[in-house]
Amino acid sequence: HIVALLLAEGYKNITCLTRRDVDPTFNGFDVAKVSWISGDILDSPLLEECLNDTDVVIHTAAMVTFSTENKKKQLEIARTGTANIVNA
């Protein structure tokens, strides 16, 4: 939704980090207008490379689940993933 809104508002040079198992074409907008990088928010070196010369970052990465068995992974994505974005 965020990318579709940015495109509708005329923004250019949009790059999105997406999980390796996600097909970006399902979003319903012209995916050719967006640069797609397949990766993981926990991959700090990748984020540093991707965010070089970046002006704005919109961070929406999260693992949403009500299962307590995934709590450790949820917290890792929330804490470490956000720290990786900030540090990059």
Side-chain angles (χ1 to χ4, degrees), residues 44-82:
S44 186
L46 174 67
L47 292 178
E48 289 177 19
E49 180 181 333
C50 294
L51 295 177
N52 189 25
D53 296 325
T54 298
D55 294 323
V56 176
V57 174
I58 300 172
H59 167 21
T60 62
M63 179 181 181
V64 179
T65 180
F66 294 105
S67 171
T68 57
E69 69 186 46
N70 294 317
K71 184 177 181 178
K72 183 177 179 180
K73 186 67 173 179
Q74 274 184 300
L75 292 175
E76 179 184 26
I77 291 169
R79 290 179 182 150
T80 306
T82 300

Side-chain angles (χ1 to χ4, degrees), residues 15 32 43 50:
T15 302
D43 184 346
C50 294

